[in-house]
Amino acid sequence: MAVVGAGYVGLTTAACLADLGNDVAVVDVNREKIAQLKAHQVPFYEPGLSELVERNYRAGRLRFTTAYEDAGPGAEYAIIAVSTPEGEGGEADLSYVEAAATSIANCMDGPLVVINKSTVPPLTGDMVSNVLRKTKAGEAAAVVSNPEFLREGSAIQDFMHPDRVVIGSHDRGAAEKVALLYSTLEAPILITPNIYTAEMVKYGSNAFLAARISFINEIARICERVGADAKLVAEGMGLDKRIGPSFLDAGIGYGGSCFPKDVKALAALAERFDYHPELLHAVMAINRDQRMLVVDKLRECLEVLQGQVIGLFGLAFKPNTDDLREAPSIEIAKVLLAAGAAVRAYDPAAMEGSRRIMPDIEYMNGAYETAAGADAVVVVTEWNEFRYLDLGRMKSSMRKPVVIDGRNIYDPAVMRGHGFTYRGIGRE
Ligand code: NAD
């Protein structure tokens, strides 16, 4: 089989399917990425992925190429896992999917099941079918939607132990053939009788999770005003089986390569079909404002930002990844720099990428070095190593002991006990 796209989703999918015993060729147009993979380097940070890629590469089940024609021969499946970034009007930019489908069509040499794993709006499967049908060989291809739900940071675990596998196609036989790929995994498989339903499951899921985050952030803002503790409120809510505890952490809001663009794309899709999605717009507006809360709290504690040294704990959009796409850190750093503050930062995985996009930040070697001499520290990403610091050591090294905890990782009473001026989100 061929996997098109060697990113977080494509490479994880390829390595996991190879590990399940399949012969997998990964094709990517990015020459540098393929060269790195051939040199035994995974181009991004994902726990356990290097080892899995290496093992299957050595076993001869996994190979890498920039040429579609090298990946194609004899393949029964082609999995599209290319980027679907935000387009100009907020809609999903499908040009990479279209280009991948065109390249597949041009090198097909037999019946093929084309599986779309990229996150795409309903009707994209039909577009892929139309592209494939432009070539004689492409007429024999079946198109299946099989959205991916893995999370960066736990991608392998999520792929191998998914909550569910969703497969949709107008061609039931092709959908069942895709289900075979997952038959050894212990997961419910939902086959939808049309492709649009499967495509929509992914958007519905991501929009719902984003809505939970904005919901709890709205509750947190109310908590702050009435003197309630949002963390405990969420705990109390989450004990209700109908609600459940996940995605109820008040904080800086959602970021990353999926939620922001997927909620926007779903809203744009709805508008295109003459429906105004009130709730999705509120979810996005709350999230936009949420990022700036930590800056407001810094202003409240420091009065002026000009000339202050602000240390950021974490840069990646979430822990256990180096991904900086739509990371709140970028916007927060920009606003602080524009206000005349000196910004320094430390992240266990995202420093290299961050240096390229934010050269005006000073990069430090660890949390203690980031805090030493700073006027305030902002917890941006809740990496575990920030949770268990020697708080006494940190406090005594700071110029002013201000901590703005954008992820509520510290206990307010403990922080005050150490003499910090502490502000969490939805709790004082
Ligand atoms: P990515 O940007 O990490 O990787 C995409 C890869 O596709 C890149 O290496 C790029 O060079 C390659 N590519 C682009 N056009 C190509 C073409 N025509 N032919 C061959 N290769 C091409 O993206 P990602 O994070 O892996 O996401 C891929 C898709 O999966 C997106 O639609 C995303 O929304 C979805 N998704 C992502 C995640 C996640 O956590 N990252 C989770 C679920 C779903």
Side-chain angles (χ1 to χ4, degrees):
M1 69 178 66
V3 172
V4 181
Y8 291 89
V9 168
L11 194 58
T12 305
T13 300
C16 289
L17 287 174
D19 213 51
L20 291 173
N22 300 286
D23 179 21
V24 186
V26 179
V27 54
D28 199 295
V29 288
N30 185 325
R31 290 181 182 283
E32 206 183 317
K33 250 186 192 176
I34 293 298
Q36 272 180 290
L37 286 163
K38 283 183 170 169
H40 306 263
Q41 286 164 19
V42 168
F44 50 86
Y45 174 74
E46 179 60 42
L49 191 57
S50 292
E51 295 79 355
L52 194 70
V53 166
E54 186 64 19
R55 185 164 77 230
N56 286 283
Y57 189 38
R58 285 196 189 284
R61 289 188 295 264
L62 190 58
R63 57 203 170 81
F64 307 105
T65 179
T66 52
Y68 276 76
E69 52 285 7
D70 291 346
E76 288 178 74
Y77 302 93
I79 301 177
I80 300 179
V82 300
S83 353
T84 47
E86 186 183 326
E88 269 175 23
E91 76 292 348
D93 173 356
L94 299 175
S95 58
Y96 300 91
V97 173
E98 193 173 350
T102 305
S103 304
I104 292 169
N106 289 336
C107 71
M108 269 183 68
D109 59 356
L112 188 70
V113 177
V114 177
I115 304 171
N116 190 26
K117 229 178 213 319
S118 294
T119 301
V120 294
L123 303 181
T124 306
D126 291 353
M127 178 273 276
V128 170
S129 282
N130 291 336
V131 170
L132 292 169
R133 280 204 202 100
K134 284 183 189 156
T135 64
K136 186 85 193 110
E139 282 172 17
V143 178
V144 176
S145 163
N146 171 215
E148 184 50 59
F149 299 98
L150 64 75
R151 296 159 298 175
E152 289 172 23
S154 54
I156 297 168
Q157 168 74 13
D158 291 347
F159 189 94
M160 293 298 205
H161 306 278
D163 289 343
R164 79 301 208 186
V165 173
V166 176
I167 299 168
S169 179
H170 301 312
D171 179 335
R172 177 82 194 184
E176 281 169 1
K177 194 168 172 187
V178 174
L180 289 178
L181 293 175
Y182 298 99
S183 57
T184 53
L185 305 183
E186 280 174 25
I189 296 181
L190 174 72
I191 298 186
T192 66
N194 73 42
I195 196 165
Y196 320 124
T197 307
E199 291 170 328
M200 194 66 188
V201 171
K202 177 66 186 175
Y203 273 111
S205 302
N206 275 6
F208 184 73
L209 293 171
R212 277 182 76 112
I213 296 173
S214 282
F215 182 85
I216 199 65
N217 281 333
E218 182 150 284
I219 294 290
R221 288 191 209 170
I222 302 171
C223 283
E224 277 183 15
R225 284 159 175 81
V226 301
D229 181 324
K231 198 163 168 129
L232 291 173
V233 168
E235 196 181 322
M237 287 167 59
L239 286 169
D240 185 324
K241 286 195 186 66
R242 295 168 301 177
I243 297 174
S246 2
F247 278 80
L248 279 187
D249 294 316
I252 293 176
Y254 60 80
S257 65
C258 293
F259 289 175
K261 77 167 172 68
D262 292 346
V263 179
K264 250 188 223 165
L266 181 56
L269 177 79
E271 302 279 5
R272 184 150 72 84
F273 283 86
D274 288 331
Y275 176 71
H276 181 70
E278 210 82 68
L279 181 58
L280 296 181
H281 285 293
V283 166
M284 292 187 279
I286 291 170
N287 199 58
R288 215 170 27 241
D289 295 349
Q290 199 68 18
R291 293 179 171 192
M292 286 304 115
L293 264 191
V294 290
V295 178
D296 296 346
K297 286 173 192 281
L298 275 173
R299 280 210 174 90
E300 183 196 312
C301 294
L302 297 172
E303 287 173 16
V304 280
L305 294 175
Q306 171 84 34
Q308 310 273 351
V309 177
I310 314 290
L312 304 184
F313 278 6
L315 293 160
F317 86 92
K318 68 173 186 179
N320 302 320
T321 182
D322 59 354
D323 201 341
L324 284 157
R325 289 178 284 185
E326 293 283 333
S329 62
I330 300 173
E331 219 171 306
I332 292 168
K334 256 191 210 155
V335 172
L336 293 176
L337 289 166
V343 180
R344 45 159 76 169
Y346 165 71
D347 186 287
M351 304 271 271
E352 205 185 307
S354 185
R355 271 195 184 94
R356 281 196 295 272
I357 50 178
M358 294 190 280
D360 297 335
I361 292 181
E362 188 184 357
Y363 292 93
M364 316 303 281
N365 288 315
Y368 293 114
E369 198 183 295
T370 306
D375 295 295
V377 155
V378 181
V379 180
V380 180
T381 316
E382 64 277 35
W383 285 91
N384 267 341
E385 67 176 79
F386 301 139
R387 291 177 194 269
Y388 307 109
L389 296 173
D390 176 342
L391 295 169
R393 175 178 166 195
M394 177 170 140
K395 153 131 201 286
S396 59
S397 74
M398 291 178 71
R399 195 153 67 183
K400 289 181 205 129
V402 174
V403 172
I404 311 295
D405 185 356
R407 299 294 182 181
N408 285 345
I409 63 172
Y410 300 122
D411 182 327
V414 171
M415 294 304 278
R416 279 198 198 104
H418 276 93
F420 284 105
T421 303
Y422 174 83
R423 298 281 185 278
I425 304 292
R427 62 210 302 236
E428 290 301 319

